[in-house]
Amino acid sequence: RGTPPAPAGDAPAAPASRDAAAEPGEVAVPSAESPAEPPGEPVDPKEELTARTYDVLLEGSTVYRGTTAGIVIEEGAQPEQPRRLGVLVLPGSVADLAWIGRVQPPRPAECPPRPGGSPGCPVPPPVTLVAAAAGPAGVFLVDVGDPEHPAEVGRFDTAGAAVRLAVELPLLWVADGAGGIVALDVSDPASPRAVGGVAEPPPPEEEEAAESATTPEAGAPAAPGAFYVRDLVRFGDRLFVAAGFFGVVVYDVRKSAGVPSLEPLLVLDTPGDARALAVDGDRVWVADGPSGLQVLDTALHRPGEAPGIVLSYPTRDICRDVKLDVSRDKSLFPPVAYLAVGDRGLEILDVSDLATVAPLGRHVPPRPVNRVTLGPNGLLLLANDSAGLMIVDAVDPTAVRQIFPAL
């Protein structure tokens, strides 16, 4: 086990010929052997900041990128040539974006006098929202109804570093790093408010009971301060949480008068640093940092069976993200997993049989892959760090083809 990550993140070691991968808060360290860039046109510093990409959100044909500068919006109807629409500069690097959609703000509680003394308040216009997790700067709610002129409409400053989001209107769940889990009510976009969450790991008795029955490292205490929430997924009545070196925690979500509470059901340790999750039934797929991909069987729907790790797959670099296409008919399309493995790019696995997991294809871009986003018709959108957006055609995973930027 390693030491817990500092709130700012942890920088992986770089191969000799590549730059080190950098997440928001991490530092890219140029390799001593990297060739010097040839002289050319000076780079616009602001444009350079809009290039470094940590997350990609696709809604319809519109692409939203979380960057060091803020949010970059592009039209992606022609994936060979995305077209810039607008940029919203924010005070923090955007680690994650989540689509909220159309929201009708409430009427003001108090109304100023109207001409002629007519009663009542005007109904505020609806807004089309994207939420942005901007690390220590907190969570921003952005109106993208006019993509050429995105506008901030609300902000919530969390106690930790907001790194991932999950939408369950009117709630927005926030993975807040050392701040734990935060549940925001965003029904009034101008004034989001915290209505629940947890800042501490499950009590020792629940953690120990789960560990004794579920993990290969039963009895090994978590490192002090290791509960660092990096990702969360809302699935059914439960919230699945990647908590860094603490492992994976599953909570039962209960609500009373619209206020959520979290009851821990299960703690599953992983050998590495749980960074990102994908959930499919009782199985949880974990991007486990230096320990690659871990697949956990929670056995939550099979009383009497012991949960635990059912697959450990080593990756060639730090595993940052995992995605599954759970919408496809598994009888027609063998399930595959898409992994973002930093400097080693994109890796696609055949996971139809966990006993024989094997790579189907790979694609290694010029810069680290931070996140994978599934698009239509086999397209994948990659957050390619300082190289910005990359789009590949993976309809045939054995022959991944780069579409943008053109080779």
Side-chain angles (χ1 to χ4, degrees):
R1 310 289 294 170
T3 56
D10 53 323
S17 61
R18 305 286 305 276
D19 288 349
E23 292 181 349
E26 297 180 345
V27 178
V29 182
S31 165
E33 301 181 18
S34 298
E37 293 290 335
E41 293 295 325
V43 178
D44 180 352
K46 181 178 178 181
E47 186 62 25
E48 192 172 20
L49 294 179
T50 64
R52 188 175 293 275
T53 302
Y54 306 110
D55 184 40
V56 179
L57 169 68
L58 179 65
E59 181 61 31
S61 64
T62 306
V63 177
Y64 304 85
R65 289 193 288 119
T67 72
T68 305
I71 302 174
V72 177
I73 305 177
E74 293 159 325
E75 173 54 57
Q78 295 181 328
E80 300 85 358
Q81 193 174 9
R83 179 173 60 88
R84 174 77 61 87
L85 296 175
V87 176
L88 178 65
V89 176
L90 294 175
S93 296
V94 175
D96 194 36
L97 295 166
W99 179 259
I100 294 178
R102 189 180 177 88
V103 173
Q104 176 61 62
R107 292 175 181 267
E110 297 182 1
C111 302
R114 300 180 66 184
S118 58
C121 292
V123 177
V127 290
T128 302
L129 295 181
V130 163
V139 176
F140 292 82
L141 301 180
V142 177
D143 184 2
V144 295
D146 178 358
E148 296 184 0
H149 301 92
E152 176 188 335
V153 295
R155 177 184 181 184
F156 188 90
D157 187 5
T158 60
V163 291
R164 286 285 186 106
L165 305 167
V167 177
E168 183 199 5
L169 290 178
L171 298 180
L172 178 67
W173 296 91
V174 183
D176 197 37
I181 304 164
V182 181
L184 298 179
D185 183 337
V186 296
S187 55
D188 182 356
S191 301
R193 58 191 182 93
V195 293
V198 294
E200 301 294 333
E205 61 272 16
E206 289 156 352
E207 176 192 344
E208 291 169 2
E211 283 185 339
S212 64
T214 64
T215 72
E217 301 177 7
F227 187 69
Y228 189 89
V229 179
R230 289 180 172 271
D231 192 16
L232 35 72
V233 174
R234 192 75 166 85
F235 190 88
D237 294 328
R238 298 187 170 101
L239 186 70
F240 295 78
V241 174
F245 285 86
F246 193 83
V248 174
V249 186
V250 184
Y251 292 91
D252 186 29
V253 181
R254 303 175 184 179
K255 294 181 181 178
S256 176
V259 177
S261 63
L262 298 175
E263 296 294 332
L265 294 176
L266 193 63
V267 177
L268 287 164
D269 196 9
T270 63
D273 171 18
R275 294 179 172 222
L277 302 175
V279 180
D280 185 16
D282 278 352
R283 286 181 175 168
V284 182
W285 303 69
V286 185
D288 204 35
S291 294
L293 172 69
Q294 307 292 322
V295 181
L296 314 180
D297 187 344
T298 64
L300 290 171
H301 296 95
R302 305 192 310 277
E305 293 190 27
I309 297 176
V310 294
L311 172 69
S312 293
Y313 180 86
T315 52
R316 301 187 299 165
D317 192 24
I318 289 178
C319 190
R320 294 173 175 266
D321 192 22
V322 55
K323 291 294 194 305
L324 301 173
D325 191 351
V326 297
S327 62
R328 300 196 303 178
D329 186 342
K330 294 179 182 178
S331 64
L332 299 176
F333 302 96
V336 296
Y338 304 91
L339 307 181
V341 288
D343 275 309
R344 295 298 183 176
L346 167 73
E347 188 163 354
I348 305 175
L349 304 180
D350 178 353
V351 294
S352 54
D353 182 353
L354 293 185
T356 59
V357 169
L360 289 172
R362 294 187 175 98
H363 186 71
V364 184
R367 291 293 182 264
V369 175
N370 295 321
R371 200 76 56 83
V372 182
T373 299
L374 304 185
N377 304 318
L379 294 183
L380 302 177
L381 293 82
L382 309 180
N384 193 207
D385 207 82
S386 60
L389 172 67
M390 176 168 287
I391 303 176
V392 299
D393 181 350
V395 67
D396 178 1
T398 65
V400 179
R401 182 172 62 92
Q402 182 171 317
I403 293 179
F404 176 81
L407 292 174

